[in-house]
Amino acid sequence: MVLVFALTHPGSIAFANWDAPYGFYKDLSVWLSSAAGGLLLVLAYGVHEWRNGKLSFPNLLLAAILVVSTAIIGYRAGLTLGGKMDYGSGNMVLFVIGGVLGFTLSIMPLPLSLPYALTGELYYPYDRPLLVAWLLTVALAVFLGVAYVRVRKAERPHGTG
C-alpha cells in the first residue's frame, strides 16, 4: 500500500502542475486522489486474498481505513480550491471516480516525471512538504520490501532455491 503512494506521486504532481501552478492543496489533492484510486485496486485484491484465507480481517480493515482516510484528506484538500481546477470537488463519489482515473494518469507519466522528481525540478517551492513526503514513502517502501524479502528467506527451508 505504501508503494501506491510512492508510485503515484511524481505523475500526479506532473499532471497537477501541467498548465499552471494552483498551489499546494491542488497538488496534494491530486496526489491523494490518485493514491486513493490505486489503493482501491489494492483493497479489491485484499478482499480476494481475504476470501482465500491468505489475509486476516484486521489487515483488510486497516487497508480500508487507509483508503477512506486518503480519500477524505484528498477531498478536503480539493475543497479548499473552491471548485477551481479540480475534478470531483462536487462530491466524494466523483472525487473517488476521478481518483481511479487519476491513478492511471499518474502511472502513465511516471517514467518521464521521475528524473524531474529526483532532481527537484518537478516541484514549485510550495511543494517541498510533498517532496519530503514522497521521499519518506519511497524509503518506507524500500525498507518494507527488504524486510519482506528477509522474512521470506528466513521462512524458506535450508537447501531450497
Side-chain angles (χ1 to χ4, degrees):
M1 295 193 85
V2 173
L3 192 57
V4 169
F5 288 99
L7 291 177
T8 57
H9 181 88
S12 295
I13 300 302
F15 77 76
N17 289 327
W18 181 261
D19 52 354
Y22 289 99
F24 173 79
Y25 289 110
K26 165 68 173 177
D27 295 355
L28 176 64
S29 177
V30 171
W31 178 35
L32 293 182
S33 176
S34 299
L39 290 172
L40 280 175
L41 299 175
V42 173
L43 184 63
Y45 179 71
V47 169
H48 171 73
E49 292 293 299
W50 173 67
R51 285 185 178 169
N52 290 336
K54 296 180 181 178
L55 188 67
S56 69
F57 183 74
N59 287 332
L60 187 63
L61 181 63
L62 288 173
I65 290 170
L66 181 62
V67 172
V68 171
S69 298
T70 301
I72 289 172
I73 293 168
Y75 178 70
R76 300 287 297 172
L79 287 178
T80 64
L81 300 170
K84 296 181 292 187
M85 302 306 295
D86 193 34
Y87 55 80
S89 60
N91 64 52
M92 180 63 94
V93 174
L94 291 176
F95 183 80
V96 172
I97 291 169
V100 174
L101 296 172
F103 173 71
T104 305
L105 290 173
S106 69
I107 296 299
M108 289 170 43
L110 178 64
L112 295 174
S113 59
L114 193 57
Y116 294 100
L118 293 172
T119 60
E121 294 178 39
L122 184 65
Y123 305 97
Y124 288 100
Y126 57 76
D127 282 332
R128 284 199 179 88
L130 295 178
L131 174 61
V132 171
W134 178 62
L135 293 173
L136 290 174
T137 59
V138 169
L140 183 59
V142 169
F143 173 78
L144 291 173
V146 168
Y148 176 76
V149 169
R150 286 187 179 174
V151 167
R152 295 294 291 187
K153 278 186 178 181
E155 290 176 350
R156 201 174 326 153
H158 293 290
T160 59

